[in-house]
Amino acid sequence: MSEQQQPRTLLVVDDHELVRVGLRQVIVQRFADRFPVEEAHSLAQALSFLERRADEVFLLLLDLNLGDARGLSGLKLLGRLYPRLGVAIVSGTHDARVREEALAHGALGYFCKTGD
C-alpha cells in the first residue's frame, strides 16, 4: 500500500455467520463500496488475516465471545499485537461494567447486538 493511501477495510470478527452477514449488509447499505468488508469467524482467522493485510484495516468489529476467545482476551491480544488498529466491540453482552472495561482496554466503542 502506498504511503498516500489510507487503510479502508473493515474486518468483522464474529462466530455467528448471520451477524457477520448482517453487519456487512448494514455497512454496504450505508457506505456503498467506500469500505471493503472482510469477515473472520474466529480470533485465529482474524489474526491470520491481519498478518497478511493489517495495513489495509482501519477498523475491526470484534465480538467478545468467540469460540477461541472469551471476554476481553481477544481485545487485549489485538491491542498488544496491533496497537494502532482501531477495534470496536459488537457484543450481545449488555453490561455497563464490561463496556467500561473494554473502553479502558482501548476499544473505540461498544455496541450491543440486542439494541438494549
Side-chain angles (χ1 to χ4, degrees):
M1 179 178 299
S2 77
E3 289 182 86
Q4 294 177 336
Q5 285 182 313
Q6 295 293 321
R8 305 203 47 85
T9 300
L10 284 99
L11 179 58
V12 177
V13 184
D14 198 298
D15 55 347
H16 293 97
E17 183 177 8
L18 186 59
V19 173
R20 291 192 314 270
V21 170
L23 285 170
R24 174 187 290 276
Q25 264 188 317
V26 168
I27 293 164
V28 169
Q29 285 174 352
R30 176 65 176 98
F31 299 105
D33 59 356
R34 287 180 36 208
F35 301 105
V37 180
E38 297 289 341
E39 301 175 18
H41 61 80
S42 66
L43 184 61
Q45 189 178 35
L47 292 171
S48 177
F49 180 89
L50 290 169
E51 280 181 25
R52 295 175 277 112
R53 299 173 55 189
D55 62 334
E56 298 173 30
V57 178
F58 83 97
L59 181 63
L60 186 146
L61 302 176
L62 178 67
D63 183 18
L64 283 183
N65 292 307
L66 299 167
D68 60 350
R70 293 278 182 223
L72 297 172
S73 64
L75 175 63
K76 291 175 183 178
L77 179 61
L78 288 166
R80 281 194 306 274
L81 297 176
Y82 300 96
R84 296 174 56 168
L85 176 64
V87 178
I89 302 300
V90 180
S91 179
T93 303
H94 186 68
D95 181 331
R97 182 184 53 77
V98 174
R99 181 182 66 243
E100 293 304 317
E101 197 172 341
L103 295 172
H105 283 285
L108 299 176
Y110 188 100
F111 306 96
C112 193
K113 294 178 196 178
T114 63
D116 294 338

